[in-house]
Amino acid sequence: MRIAPPIDLTDDVRATLESWSRGRSTPARLVARAKIVLLAAQGMENRTIAERVKTTKPTVGHWRSQFAKFGIAGIEKDAARSGRPRKDRVDVERRIIEATTQTKPQNATQWSTRTLARHLRVDHVLVHRVWKAHGLQPHRVRYFKLSNDKHFAEKLVDVAGLYLNPPEHALVLSADEKSQIQALDRTQPGLPIKRGRCGTMTHDYKRYGTTTLFAAIDMLEGKVISECMDRHRHQEWIKFLEKIDQQTPPELALHLIDDNYSAHKHPKVQKWLKRHSRFHIHFIPTSSSWLNVIERFFRDLTDKRIRRGAFTSVDELKEAIFDYIEHHNQSPVPFVWTAQADKILEKVGRARLALNK
């Protein structure tokens, strides 16, 4: 009787095989091979392993031999198979790529693998393989917006310069308001996360009101000055400027970066700024909220505290917001801006050129 070669596993290889054998997002064939090797390492015979894994004895012997010769790489990938390649494969690939990138179906905005396969009379698996090989994803779209601000370059250079080379004896603050934050409670309790299942929440909700968060982040230390108010008019903006004035060292100049919202340019705001000469306002270009760092903080607040929260009142929502900001300010981490203005202008130029074509 032929005796199968012994199998010795290192700790790293054993951990990998055990992970594969559990079958989480692992192909079924690789799960079976991992189980074969693990059982072989326990000294089992091929016949017993075949019964356990529900496969044939020759299959067990083959993958046992492959692992003995090539290690974990020997079972991870199948060996190349012989066979004559399709003669029309190049032409079919060209037709799939051209149809995907240059045409649309009559009743839809983009192709799916099956609709394009029916249109070209090919197998939908082939369409999928061609798309994957060429990085084509018709079902996905990326949103963009190019600023039409006539002074885009000047404003960009000004704001990016403040981020990269802040002036001495001054604080650079990125400020804005996050308006209409909704206090939402779900109509039914959600289920908690557990092994093999994510947490759940109902798609519908009860709305208890809204609040507007005014916030400014110190670009040097990362601390946030904040206030929640019911509205976001110029009166509320002036109140928030007064709070910034009170909570920052009086001997330092303040360079405030904000957007072009009308409340920020109101005549009464301009009069207030004239009376407080240490404030210097720097407006970002229109349609360029990505240039205002506070928007990044707003995104974190939404993702980590608001979107999946449940609030039965506006006061409860405010308490959650202030709790998040207080926790952030206990160990603040500044957002570090690294993009050079000239690099951004080059990228915008390329985008305009592509858009004009």
Side-chain angles (χ1 to χ4, degrees):
M1 179 184 294
R2 183 182 176 185
I3 301 176
I7 291 180
D8 294 324
L9 302 178
T10 64
D11 292 341
D12 291 341
V13 171
R14 184 181 295 277
T16 301
L17 293 173
E18 288 176 348
S19 175
W20 288 351
S21 67
R22 286 191 286 268
R24 297 175 187 171
S25 67
T26 305
R29 64 181 183 275
L30 193 54
V31 173
R33 295 170 193 175
K35 289 180 179 179
I36 288 171
V37 175
L38 287 171
L39 293 174
Q42 296 177 17
M44 291 188 183
E45 295 182 352
N46 290 356
R47 179 178 299 176
T48 307
I49 296 174
E51 293 174 356
R52 288 279 193 94
V53 184
K54 296 181 180 180
T55 186
T56 63
K57 185 178 175 181
T59 299
V60 173
H62 172 73
W63 292 115
R64 191 168 183 165
S65 176
Q66 285 291 102
F67 183 85
K69 291 180 181 178
F70 306 107
I72 201 168
I75 66 170
E76 185 174 8
K77 293 184 179 180
D78 294 336
R81 291 182 173 86
S82 61
R84 185 178 63 184
R86 287 181 52 173
K87 293 182 179 180
D88 61 340
R89 178 63 181 264
V90 175
D91 182 62
V92 172
E93 282 195 18
R94 179 186 57 79
R95 289 168 53 209
I96 291 174
I97 295 171
E98 287 182 355
T100 305
T101 58
Q102 300 178 22
T103 66
K104 294 181 179 180
Q106 292 182 349
N107 62 338
T109 57
Q110 76 280 339
W111 295 103
S112 68
T113 55
R114 284 174 168 77
T115 56
L116 185 57
R118 285 195 295 268
H119 176 69
L120 298 178
R121 297 182 179 180
V122 297
D123 191 272
H124 70 92
V125 176
L126 176 61
V127 175
H128 172 73
R129 289 174 179 171
V130 173
W131 282 1
K132 187 175 181 180
H134 293 83
L136 297 174
Q137 298 177 322
H139 63 288
R140 296 185 62 188
V141 62
R142 292 182 64 183
Y143 295 96
F144 79 100
K145 174 70 175 181
L146 287 179
S147 173
N148 293 318
D149 195 316
K150 295 181 180 179
H151 304 287
F152 175 81
E154 295 93 319
K155 293 179 179 178
L156 170 64
V157 171
D158 177 37
V159 174
L162 286 174
Y163 289 149
L164 295 171
N165 299 296
E168 295 182 355
H169 309 295
L171 283 180
V172 176
L173 301 168
S174 173
D176 201 1
E177 59 270 293
K178 182 175 177 62
S179 62
Q180 301 296 306
I181 307 175
Q182 301 182 87
L184 304 178
D185 187 22
R186 301 295 156 176
T187 56
Q188 297 173 358
L191 297 176
I193 187 173
K194 62 179 289 187
R195 181 177 179 179
R197 187 194 71 198
C198 63
T200 65
M201 60 191 305
T202 60
H203 70 278
D204 54 345
Y205 52 83
K206 296 178 182 178
R207 185 170 179 269
Y208 291 94
T210 64
T211 188
T212 294
L213 170 65
F214 292 79
I217 186 168
D218 177 0
M219 294 302 300
L220 180 62
E221 296 183 354
K223 288 187 177 180
V224 174
I225 301 171
S226 62
E227 186 62 64
C228 281
M229 304 186 200
D230 294 335
R231 304 178 70 177
H232 52 284
R233 306 165 299 172
H234 71 275
Q235 293 95 324
E236 286 76 22
W237 182 245
I238 291 175
K239 290 180 182 178
F240 182 58
L241 292 178
E242 290 173 347
K243 185 168 186 178
I244 294 176
D245 190 29
Q246 295 168 3
Q247 296 192 6
T248 53
E251 69 276 8
L252 296 179
L254 300 178
H255 292 267
L256 204 65
I257 298 169
D258 57 18
D259 61 18
N260 292 272
Y261 182 50
S262 59
H264 301 169
K265 296 182 175 181
H266 194 276
K268 291 186 178 180
V269 175
Q270 300 302 319
K271 290 181 180 178
W272 187 93
L273 292 172
K274 286 182 180 179
R275 295 195 304 270
H276 298 77
S277 57
R278 75 185 187 115
F279 278 78
H280 305 276
I281 306 301
H282 304 263
F283 291 112
I284 63 174
T286 57
S287 303
S288 301
S289 58
W290 49 267
L291 191 55
N292 204 355
V293 170
I294 192 64
E295 299 291 349
R296 180 65 170 79
F297 177 81
F298 287 158
R299 192 194 77 174
D300 284 350
L301 171 64
T302 302
D303 290 345
K304 297 178 180 179
R305 191 63 187 90
I306 297 177
R307 179 173 289 123
R308 293 170 61 177
F311 311 102
T312 57
S313 67
V314 174
D315 289 339
E316 189 176 340
L317 171 63
K318 290 180 180 178
E319 183 180 353
I321 292 173
F322 290 137
D323 179 68
Y324 178 87
I325 295 174
E326 181 181 358
H327 185 271
H328 169 86
N329 285 341
Q330 288 175 0
S331 54
V333 178
F335 292 94
V336 180
W337 185 274
T338 59
Q340 300 286 340
D342 56 346
K343 299 295 182 182
I344 298 175
L345 290 172
E346 289 179 8
K347 188 174 182 180
V348 171
R350 291 195 298 270
R352 289 193 184 281
L353 185 62
L355 190 63
N356 292 334
K357 286 183 179 180

